[in-house]
Amino acid sequence: MSGPDVSVVICVYTEDRWEDILAAVASVRTQSYPALETLLVVDHHPALLDRLAKEYKEVGEVRVVANAGPRGLSAGRNTGIAASRGEVVAFLDDDAVAERDWLRHFAGAYADPKVMAVGGRTVPIWASGRRPAWFPEEFDWVVGCTYRGIPSGLVRVRNVLGGNASFRRSAFDAAGGFATGIGRDGDKRPLGCEETELCIRLSRARPDAVLLIDDRAVIHHRVPEAREHFGYFRTRAYAEGLSKALVARSVGADKGLESERRYATRVLPSGVVRGLRDAALARPGGAGRAGAIVAGVLTAAGGYVVGTVRARRGGATFSVAPIEGESDG
């Protein structure tokens, strides 16, 4: 199969995920469609940088670079983009492993020159061995995974999800890189939505751009035990509300909340009904799932209100810089 050269960027920040990082890199190195290179971008952690540099010293297709920007995922991704050489840049979470045909499905979609981004399907690996009975599939985005409500197959979308995504390099030429600043208190709350804001900005810069999700491009994402609890669920839902408020301020509520309106009015009510039906049939977790959906919506709405007030008071939220070209590593 011929197609574009693909660089894979994996952003890393802690030695606590050492084995996960090695597994992520190994999954890239065994792809049926070989990556041009894998870049490990280390986020302001000299010990981890040195350790990874030694680990992959003899592996030519793996490059270890330091985050050249401020601390955080967006700047790390931007560093990876600048240092990469591929026509397409793919992103993989540091605690995930890709199935063997992950890059093959990404590369195939770029045969259409209008395709600017392709995402895939992210499947949770629960630390406890199974999904908590109360945890609704509609909220799998809480743990960074594909959630119920995203259409199946190869479909056009508003935005891809950052932990399992790829972009044509020219997308960054048109729209700039990932915005920094959205997660300014991200050390306290799990903020995000950088990829949503980027994709909306890209569609504005290139109105003919096609953004896709191909659910055959699968990765498996580890969910630690701490994230299987309702406390994390609630914190993450609130942070999502804060983040959506910042995105809406940056790109406008029409685009910033377009997909969320459909999700809130169609997907979530169906999930509540399904949970109540399961409860009536005495199936485990039905009432808990229905309750979690309601709690998640209310918590996210609260975060959105607070985030909107903060954004209005704080003025400009995002900082978007152009990708300036290949780093010297």
Side-chain angles (χ1 to χ4, degrees):
M1 174 182 178
S2 62
D5 288 336
V6 182
S7 298
V8 177
V9 173
I10 302 173
C11 295
V12 302
Y13 70 98
T14 175
E15 289 185 276
D16 293 343
R17 292 185 175 180
W18 179 257
E19 295 299 329
D20 291 336
I21 295 168
L22 299 186
V25 173
S27 74
V28 175
R29 296 184 67 198
T30 56
Q31 288 291 299
S32 61
Y33 184 96
L36 173 67
E37 59 187 348
T38 300
L39 291 100
L40 289 169
V41 183
V42 183
D43 194 16
H44 298 271
H45 193 312
L48 179 58
L49 181 71
D50 290 344
R51 188 178 179 188
L52 286 170
K54 292 176 182 176
E55 178 73 22
Y56 292 107
K57 183 178 181 180
E58 306 298 328
V59 184
E61 75 271 21
V62 178
R63 299 163 59 200
V64 180
V65 299
N67 179 2
R71 186 182 301 275
L73 183 58
S74 287
R77 287 171 173 167
N78 291 341
T79 296
I81 296 164
S84 65
R85 300 186 294 256
E87 178 186 346
V88 169
V89 183
F91 299 93
L92 179 66
D93 276 347
D94 65 344
D95 54 356
V97 293
E99 291 192 359
R100 190 168 183 271
D101 291 329
W102 177 59
L103 289 182
R104 178 178 294 275
H105 293 303
F106 277 175
Y110 288 104
D112 180 349
K114 291 184 178 180
V115 172
M116 289 287 112
V118 186
R121 177 162 56 96
T122 303
V123 179
I125 305 173
W126 302 95
S128 61
R130 64 173 62 183
R131 172 187 298 275
W134 63 270
F135 203 115
E137 293 182 27
E138 290 82 0
F139 273 77
D140 276 5
W141 53 264
V142 164
V143 292
C145 295
T146 302
Y147 54 91
R148 183 192 291 269
I150 293 182
S152 59
L154 179 65
V155 293
R156 192 165 180 172
V157 293
R158 180 195 65 180
N159 64 274
V160 296
L161 303 179
N164 179 10
S166 63
F167 291 84
R168 199 183 292 274
R169 177 171 298 280
S170 56
F172 303 113
D173 297 333
F178 289 90
T180 58
I182 186 172
R184 59 188 173 193
D185 59 349
D187 57 332
K188 298 179 181 179
R189 295 190 186 279
L191 300 179
C193 293
E194 297 94 334
E195 64 272 9
T196 300
E197 192 273 341
L198 171 61
C199 289
I200 294 172
R201 186 164 18 101
L202 172 60
S203 294
R204 287 183 170 178
R206 289 282 304 269
D208 62 336
V210 174
L211 286 68
L212 301 172
I213 285 182
D214 187 340
D215 66 4
R216 299 171 300 172
V218 180
I219 70 169
H220 298 264
H221 183 269
R222 187 179 301 280
V223 180
E225 191 273 339
R227 297 186 182 183
E228 294 186 3
H229 299 288
F230 184 71
Y232 180 82
F233 178 93
R234 183 178 55 197
T235 298
R236 180 66 182 87
Y238 182 75
E240 185 73 4
L242 291 175
S243 300
K244 292 299 184 191
L246 303 184
V247 171
R249 179 171 177 80
S250 175
V251 302
D254 287 346
K255 277 294 183 182
L257 299 176
E258 181 180 39
S259 296
E260 288 73 15
R261 290 191 185 97
R262 290 195 298 268
Y263 170 74
T265 57
R266 299 180 188 179
V267 177
L268 295 184
S270 296
V272 172
V273 170
R274 189 179 304 106
L276 293 176
R277 183 190 61 201
D278 286 348
L281 295 173
R283 293 172 179 166
R289 289 192 296 275
I293 290 174
V294 173
V297 170
L298 294 176
T299 304
Y304 183 81
V305 171
V306 172
T308 299
V309 172
R310 288 181 181 175
R312 287 174 179 170
R313 290 176 178 173
T317 302
F318 293 96
S319 175
V320 180
I323 302 298
E324 296 184 355
E326 183 173 334
S327 163
D328 61 10

